[in-house]
Amino acid sequence: MSSIFTKIIRGEIPAKVVKRQDDMIAFHDVNPQAPVHVLVVPVQEVAAVRDCAGPEGQALLGRLMQFAAQVATELGLDADGYRLVTNTGRYGGQSVFHLHVHIMGGRPMGWPPG
Ligand code: 5GP
């Protein structure tokens, strides 16, 4: 069964897309928790970072973080900074089980997160 993010990637569900390449997509979170809240998602369906084993997983995670940083730059977030978050499993607060990174910016972030 495909995830809600795969449906967005396929154009079956609308989303406000920020940037798209063959292997990655970035779109605005439907329920933003910061002035800028963008999700960066690999086209490949992998549930979470813990599922990214071996050289292929290493490449995917590297590419995902690199793409997230590019998107953050293009959103104008470099000067003030931003946060990248990936939630994993129940205690991590993950609600969509398709690997993704949250880009959050536009305000100072607290620490520790809730
Ligand atoms: P997680 O809780 O798994 O770390 O993050 C999932 C994120 O996906 C949440 O912030 C949630 O608001 C967002 N989200 C869930 N469904 C949709 C959707 O259909 N469209 C968009 N743009 N974001 C979604």
Side-chain angles (χ1 to χ4, degrees):
M1 193 181 130
S2 55
S3 77
I4 195 147
F5 292 165
T6 292
K7 290 184 173 144
I8 288 172
I9 289 162
R10 289 182 183 152
E12 294 166 9
I13 292 176
K16 287 198 261 177
V17 175
V18 173
K19 186 177 177 75
R20 184 173 194 142
Q21 293 186 343
D22 285 351
D23 58 344
M24 296 282 154
I25 189 169
F27 52 87
H28 289 277
D29 197 295
V30 78
N31 183 23
Q33 302 300 312
V36 178
H37 188 171
V38 166
L39 302 172
V40 181
V41 184
V43 167
Q44 186 182 338
E45 278 188 321
V46 175
V49 284
R50 62 186 169 198
D51 303 300
C52 297
E56 279 183 23
Q58 182 178 9
L60 181 67
L61 289 177
R63 171 77 181 123
L64 178 63
M65 293 302 274
Q66 185 184 59
F67 188 74
Q70 284 171 0
V71 171
T73 296
E74 290 172 17
L75 289 168
L77 298 177
D78 281 336
D80 287 330
Y82 54 89
R83 183 168 290 174
L84 301 181
V85 174
T86 183
N87 298 322
T88 300
R90 188 160 58 99
Y91 274 17
Q94 186 175 11
S95 60
V96 176
F97 294 88
H98 182 150
L99 176 65
H100 54 283
V101 168
H102 299 250
I103 302 173
M104 305 181 79
R107 66 166 168 82
M109 299 290 149
W111 192 265

